[in-house]
Amino acid sequence: MRAVVQTVGRASVTVDGEVVGAIDDGLLVLLGVTHTDTVETARTMARKVHELRILDDERSAADTGAPVLVVSQFTLYGDARKGRRPSWTAAAPAEVAEPLVTEVVEALRTRGAKVETGRFRTHMLVESLNVGPRTILLDL
């Protein structure tokens, strides 16, 4: 499982002209799933995101109550080492990935995080105003 975690002043996801998820002053998490990921991997990722000391004064979303916007992003497993056309074979198929993305979201909520999401299997417009910018790649 991979996540790109960014500090944002605001972030939102729009699908078909409707905002389906939005946050202010929190974390935008682009989340990719691979074939070997499990429920335990998802729970570990949720813990790491929630406790990641990326906010001001080395604080975390767990410390501050900052909201989290989670957006599924299979392209994090794109491989463009050969040629110009990425291969997506390392990305888990939607049937495998969707329940694990949901598990990350639910594990974050169980930890007390306020979580918004994108919408799986749709064309999403993701907007963000990055702060810092501070961006971390978590790769489990």
Side-chain angles (χ1 to χ4, degrees), residues 2-62:
R2 288 183 180 153
V4 173
V5 182
Q6 299 177 311
T7 56
V8 296
R10 66 177 178 270
S12 64
V13 178
T14 303
V15 176
D16 294 329
E18 172 192 358
V19 175
V20 297
I23 63 167
D24 291 315
D25 299 318
L27 301 177
L28 171 60
V29 179
L30 305 176
L31 184 64
V33 177
T34 193
H35 304 281
T36 57
D37 289 333
T38 64
V39 168
E40 191 55 40
T41 308
R43 290 176 181 159
T44 299
M45 181 61 79
R47 179 184 54 78
K48 289 186 80 71
V49 165
H50 198 230
E51 295 177 1
L52 185 64
R53 294 171 161 247
I54 192 175
L55 298 170
D56 290 341
D57 301 321
E58 295 185 11
R59 298 180 72 200
S60 67

Side-chain angles (χ1 to χ4, degrees), residues 6 11-14 28 30 69 71-73 118 124-128:
Q6 299 177 311
S12 64
V13 178
T14 303
L28 171 60
L30 305 176
L69 175 59
V71 180
S72 174
Q73 187 75 37
M124 295 180 278
L125 300 177
V126 180
E127 292 184 278
S128 66

